[in-house]
Each structure stands twice: as structure tokens, then as C-alpha cells.
Amino acid sequence: MERIEIDTARGKERVPPGQYLVGDRWPILTYGPTPSVDLRTWNFTICGLVENPLTFTWEEWNGLPTVEVKADMHCVTSWSKLDNVWTGVPARRLLEMAEPKPEAKFFSVHCDGGYTTNAPLQELYEEDALFATHHNGEPLAPGHGYPMRLVIPRLYAWKSAKWVRGIELLAQDEQGFWENNGYHAYGDPWREQRYSFSF
Ligand SMILES: Nc1nc2c(c(=O)[nH]1)N[C@H]1C(S)=C(S)[C@@H](COP(=O)(O)O)O[C@H]1N2
Ligand SMILES: [Mo]
């Protein structure tokens, strides 16, 4: 397995402005109830502007190559959790298999429970973006996204969708749940892109 240790801050100050550290604690931040997931019917799809739309069963998903990524996590509500070790499928490997069309510039994420989020497609090519099944060597707890979540460490954690079931590649940006409710479309913690309005 490939192992990547990420300087999430990319040489900038490690903890972004306005954030505090939670130490070993790991808050659960979910809008609505924790969905219960049945692995026998679970699948994951990649669709939209791709040459090869793909669907994986849980068994197929577990046959894909994995990576281990050590990275920090920053929630827009101001907590940060450092040095998380995530294990899962590198997002860029998935894109290689699906072959995005040239006009694909954004993606939208769909989750059990109806949550959605969005970002530029470029974010999924970053070496630390992955679809994770494990955190610090343990399968994800139900509240943290079991069986699988997206992790995009360089953006605020609302982009790291839990219980993820699919991504759709798009030519135009399509706002997700929090983006439609006042959060920033992009969400860079070092630029404090918390909200799409200013006070
Ligand atoms: N499906 C789904 N994913 C989600 C959320 C959610 O409400 N539903 N909350 C987001 C927010 S706001 C944050 S900060 C992180 C928190 O992840 P955690 O609960 O594992 O700490 O999950 C993100 N992913
Ligand atoms: Mo959050």
C-alpha cells in the first residue's frame, strides 16, 4: 500500500486562522440522523461527464488499490483535528478508471441520507483526496461515515462527505447542501472561505 504524509498546510502555518485544536477528541458533525447502511445493497457510482460510468458493489470496492494518507481536518465551525490517518481508494485512481471527458470541470457528491456537496474536479486529482473506509486503522464509526466517506483534507471538512454513494462529474458547478445554505462554494481554510456572504 502506498503511504502519503501530507503537509495539508503546504508550508503555510499549520493550523488555519480562527481554528482551535480538539486533541484526541473527534466531534461528529452531521446534519440530520446517521443513515444506516446495508452492505448487501450498498454501491458506489461515478457518473456524469465520464467515458466509463462505473458502479461498484461493496465487494468490488474492496478489491481496489488503497492508499494511506496522514492529514489534518478543519471544520468550518472552528475545530481542527491533526494527524488523521485515512485508508481508502485514491480519488485520482477512480478518475483514471472513469476517464473524465474534457468538459468535466466540477463534481457533485451524493450520500445516503441526501447530503450533497461540490468542488472543482481538480480537487480529486490531489494526492491526498481519497474515499476512505478507515481512520487511524479502524473502520469508520457509523457517525463518521461508515462504510465510506470522501476526504478532501485541503478544504473545510463539510466537503468531506460521509456515507458517500456517488460522484457526478459536471461542466458547471452545482451547489451542495451547505453551499446552498450560506457556506462558501470552495472553502479554503487558509483563506477562511467559511461563508458565501460577509457580515
Ligand atoms: N453525509 C454527510 N457528510 C458530512 C456531513 C453531513 O452532515 N452529512 N457533515 C460535514 C461536516 S460539516 C463536517 S465538519 C464533517 C465532519 O466529519 P465528522 O463528523 O466525521 O467529524 O463531515 C462532513 N460530511
Ligand atoms: Mo463542519
Side-chain angles (χ1 to χ4, degrees), residues 29 75-77 157-158:
L29 265 270
C75 172
V76 71
T77 64
W158 86 78

Side-chain angles (χ1 to χ4, degrees), residues 82-134:
L82 305 183
D83 291 329
N84 304 281
V85 178
W86 304 100
T87 315
V89 177
R92 57 198 163 139
R93 293 300 297 270
L94 209 60
L95 294 177
E96 272 167 28
M97 288 184 264
E99 294 180 46
K101 296 184 177 174
E103 59 271 29
K105 299 290 182 228
F106 298 91
F107 68 95
S108 167
V109 191
H110 302 262
C111 303
D112 274 317
Y115 185 84
T116 53
T117 188
N118 60 288
L121 186 57
Q122 203 50 46
E123 299 303 317
L124 294 185
Y125 283 104
E126 297 286 355
E127 58 179 349
D128 55 347
L130 78 163
F131 292 89
T133 52
H134 290 69

